[in-house]
Amino acid sequence: MGKASKSLKSAAKAAPGRHTPALRAIKGGKAAAAKSAAANSAAKPAVKPIPLKPAPAVADDAPVIALNLPQAKLTPAMAAYFKKCQDRLGFVPNVLVAYAFDMAKLETFVAMYNDLMLGDSGLSKLEREMIAVAVSSQNRCYYCLTAHGAAVRQYSGSPLLGDQIVMNYRVARLNKRQRAMLDFAVKLTASPWSVEEGDRERLRRGGFSDRDIWDISAIAGFFNMSNRVASATDMRPNTAYHGQAR
Amino acid sequence: MGKASKSLKSAAKAAPGRHTPALRAIKGGKAAAAKSAAANSAAKPAVKPIPLKPAPAVADDAPVIALNLPQAKLTPAMAAYFKKCQDRLGFVPNVLVAYAFDMAKLETFVAMYNDLMLGDSGLSKLEREMIAVAVSSQNRCYYCLTAHGAAVRQYSGSPLLGDQIVMNYRVARLNKRQRAMLDFAVKLTASPWSVEEGDRERLRRGGFSDRDIWDISAIAGFFNMSNRVASATDMRPNTAYHGQAR
Amino acid sequence: MGKASKSLKSAAKAAPGRHTPALRAIKGGKAAAAKSAAANSAAKPAVKPIPLKPAPAVADDAPVIALNLPQAKLTPAMAAYFKKCQDRLGFVPNVLVAYAFDMAKLETFVAMYNDLMLGDSGLSKLEREMIAVAVSSQNRCYYCLTAHGAAVRQYSGSPLLGDQIVMNYRVARLNKRQRAMLDFAVKLTASPWSVEEGDRERLRRGGFSDRDIWDISAIAGFFNMSNRVASATDMRPNTAYHGQAR
Amino acid sequence: MGKASKSLKSAAKAAPGRHTPALRAIKGGKAAAAKSAAANSAAKPAVKPIPLKPAPAVADDAPVIALNLPQAKLTPAMAAYFKKCQDRLGFVPNVLVAYAFDMAKLETFVAMYNDLMLGDSGLSKLEREMIAVAVSSQNRCYYCLTAHGAAVRQYSGSPLLGDQIVMNYRVARLNKRQRAMLDFAVKLTASPWSVEEGDRERLRRGGFSDRDIWDISAIAGFFNMSNRVASATDMRPNTAYHGQAR
Amino acid sequence: MGKASKSLKSAAKAAPGRHTPALRAIKGGKAAAAKSAAANSAAKPAVKPIPLKPAPAVADDAPVIALNLPQAKLTPAMAAYFKKCQDRLGFVPNVLVAYAFDMAKLETFVAMYNDLMLGDSGLSKLEREMIAVAVSSQNRCYYCLTAHGAAVRQYSGSPLLGDQIVMNYRVARLNKRQRAMLDFAVKLTASPWSVEEGDRERLRRGGFSDRDIWDISAIAGFFNMSNRVASATDMRPNTAYHGQAR
Amino acid sequence: MGKASKSLKSAAKAAPGRHTPALRAIKGGKAAAAKSAAANSAAKPAVKPIPLKPAPAVADDAPVIALNLPQAKLTPAMAAYFKKCQDRLGFVPNVLVAYAFDMAKLETFVAMYNDLMLGDSGLSKLEREMIAVAVSSQNRCYYCLTAHGAAVRQYSGSPLLGDQIVMNYRVARLNKRQRAMLDFAVKLTASPWSVEEGDRERLRRGGFSDRDIWDISAIAGFFNMSNRVASATDMRPNTAYHGQAR
């Protein structure tokens, strides 16, 4: 069996814990959270995680996207995954609901998402979310700014940092490494044809390995995809995101 | 086991046939080819496929990307998949070589690619490749224009159509449906924030179902991702593509 | 005495009340608040105002702008105005602190701001704040998005609407009138040279009078000014705004 | 009484002199003119002011803007101000006529304009007009290019310099200081989100104080506002401007 | 002998007359002037040509371009042409001086210019100059805006129209035909890839023949060339242009 | 007789040889070819020219442009030139057919084209074609990319180089000189107003003389013209180009 499906299975088996922001720590568990905190501490020392408000009791019952695509029967792996989301986050992120008209599409999306955002990387989880938000800001994507803006607030413990990257990442007080990272991701988003060796060199001088450069590129690329699927389908974020980690 | 990994397995098992353009008909086999021809016939009736020149005997030995990422050991599924590429195409597409430093990343990429470009859809395989090329032209992506430009030439039997979509899709003599499709994909690429219900309505009036609109969006999104991974890493296409189906 | 200075004086005299978002209802008092609620009710009937959290006890002591401009002695009118801000909002908005190095500049700024945002107009106060935010989003202005995003949340009672206009006003569920208003303001921001009679006609068809068109233009113009002063000086919003009316 | 209204009053009292370009030297009188000449001499030594042609005898009777907004009764301060314009310039600048439907708006506009363009500043009056024109060229604003292009010709004594900044400020033979100033103003106009500390540093290296940087920013901001009010309302410049100081 | 060189010869032989704007009526003589007046009368009936001021007595002795290219010996045809320019205009237009380092380049430039701007066409000479200026405004070309802005003022008898097209052609009070013409020329300048049959149809509906469409396109194309040669070489217009026909 | 018409005549007299790409070596003959090979060898040593496939036997009978402009009677010079094209290339390039409705226009176009692309220059013929293609790629011009893309393939002996410059010249492995040359040409195409002395200095540092800078500018300018004439008229390239020198 390929690794992709294995990661889905193990994700589905992971023990549920307290509520955490959508999709973010589903795969991780305690060890990952610890590691993430350590990684984040470079950026913002000693942040105290902001307690999440419980999701609103009433269901979001407006259509998730502007296309009429009836939900398919969940495969066992996906049913378990949705249940875990519900248990941990209090809701199933709408992007998953949107993809659930077709199990192959849902599974490949989840596998790629989890690998990029929760898998091994030299980038902290906060840094990956920062890329997600900076790219989504360039593309003005409502869904991704809302869901991943919440993630930046949660991982960083700073509502302010979340708002800054949503609005204009250049105003955030970033260290040189993170500024170089977001400059690269946003240039790659706005004018991919103009990215050249000089741009990679700037990342290397900022302390990034070639593997890190791949990860920055792949995450920036992934959100350039997701932004467009969301905009093309008028995807609506779960309302719970708006108030998370404020 | 999830569908994603199943499709990888069955793909790896598919009987090898005559050379076909990279990644394109790997999954399909004879039935798919027949279906594809039927689908394509709406766009361009009775095209006679252009025989492919064999790939050059000498290997492409320049680095595939500008990042130093040593290839990992292929999983059995991926080893079988690479072998099938080699047998059918005469080479392994460089995008696969680029992702092969990490099996989880390679597998999820292949699963998503095969689902979008070779799986069930109301769009013909030619139409999907047309989207790939129109998006890649907007983003001026050398790798994707080269590999998928070859695919458009091959599927359409028209070297001219391939060149036109590489250069400026507006000059191609498309029917209304296909023009609406590419207009949507290119607008979604250039200014995703501006895509709204009116744009979806135009596709519906062009004969597309809501599922088709998803597919157009997902493929356009996918190449907005791939274009950026390719540009960020200076990915080089296999030289064989340049001369294919001319 | 000119009207401009009169409005400053009467503003300074107005009785302090409960906390309200910065600058917003300073001029108005009870009658204005009632009128505003009525005007807003066209857009969103029966909203229940979100109670404001008190501003954080600790002062914002980071520099307000990146220029070294020592504060001048406040004129009596401005001292009274700052006191009223402090009493009502719990803080003096940083834009006022920034202008306070020169009383003539501060007074003309306050006079113009109050006239446009709180004076008589066919536009509701919420609508004026919506223009402020949509323009500031086009210009990616951190200060104005933060301060006026809070105002939209407060006036509308909808945290969601505030976030939507910050991120991409096109995703907000606006009525035709308000959509036309924001389309005009954003076009005027992005390409003022291209605004012509057809654009004004669209506003008239949306129910706006010629005076309303002036107000939309003047407010959009004002924030195109403020956005640039804020960006040029790296103006920092009071941190209280981030959490208001969530 | 606040300073803003005081400056209106004193302006209205100033003794009339020979014709000078609209709005420009209304506030200043002889001392200001002398100072301005001194300041300008840094940029262009020993210019001989170009005598102004008298304004055409016939009135401009076409509508000033494309909105139907009947003129209000002028306050005494504004009546005196209009009279002084008529006496000195031979006409009342159309921007004032446009704002005259509402005295509060007219007074705040005049107060801000006079403070920025005629008040104390480390920038010469010519330099402020150069900013006005460079910003208005970026925004292709007919009204402001016409009125302030005439001001640059008049203050500099160089019809050529006026035309150059209208057309493309990069072709003007500017000293380093003035080039840095216009580069900043135009960048702030075209992409305000991208202005950062490096841009301010370049101005400081060009010899500008932090107060000067504020003034450059505020003037650039002001014309980004005025350009949009003018474009939104199709504001027409007085025809006299076209031939002034040629 | 080809027509191109014949038109150079006959141009060189044409009897000198009163001063006329550079390059403009060199080829024409009386008959052409009469015809031009007739053609222009459609656009602006009964204009009284503005008498040209004589060119300044002092020579323009600054370098014409920023490249060091010594002038070649003029061929007899070009010597006659330069003499005619001097006699009629009072100066040789700097663009001709710039090209005079190489006779083949000068002759082909002059031949193409004269054919397009002075040869047979359904477009009046004023209309051709309007295209020249609108294109040059889009490209912000100092040389061409100065020289051809003067031509529009002269042919139209309206200094105002000249300034308007230099600044923003959309503010000029054009008839439908001329507005369609400039919309086409400016779109072709800004985004040539997006011009399609619909754009040509709009011209045909505006009363233009297919030959007229060619002429609009060729003139717009020509100034897209000239604008770039001028910008690339920092070409300086003769100072006489600035004051012509004011 | 001027040089322009002389070059047409001598071109028309040149002895026909083996088929060569359209317009390219028509003027040159053996000596020019030898020189070109030498010049090219700096860029790519010892290329073996790719044998051209004969043009397709069937005529291209679709209309060449979307305007109805009947062909005029060819002048003797042009008739000889067309015959030579037919003899050498196997076809008359469609751009010549398009201009053939008017002999003066055709002759001036041919004279300018031949001077720039085949006349004396410090730039090799390959370099000139590289500029043609890089400019045409920026403008997404189907006709010019097709015809001159073929020329780059032919002159360089590298189908890959041709495709790269069509798609995104930044991915081509150019030496510093050629990269500087294309950077200049593309900047001049995209934002001519921003080209300044620093840009010329970069070319000089890359080894270009002032005359070379003129030639780069003039060729880039010429294709900015041709791209627009082609796009405005929907000009179609001869189908033979697509397969040349693959």
Side-chain angles (χ1 to χ4, degrees), chain C residues 3 11 29 49 59 73 78 101 117 119 127-128 132 134 154 165 168-169 184 188-189 193 196 199 209 211 226 232:
Chain C
K3 282 192 179 178
K73 186 172 166 1
M78 288 297 101
F101 72 92
M117 300 304 279
E127 286 172 339
R128 298 182 230 180
Q154 166 69 3
I165 305 185
N168 181 357
Y169 78 96
F184 186 91
L188 187 61
T189 298
W193 53 83
E196 296 194 71
D199 300 293
S209 70
R211 167 61 198 270
S226 292

Side-chain angles (χ1 to χ4, degrees), chain A residues 90-112:
Chain A
F91 59 88
V92 178
N94 280 347
V95 66
L96 300 181
V97 178
Y99 272 91
F101 73 90
D102 182 293
M103 285 303 107
K105 294 182 196 309
L106 176 62
E107 289 189 348
T108 56
F109 176 83
V110 169
M112 189 177 280

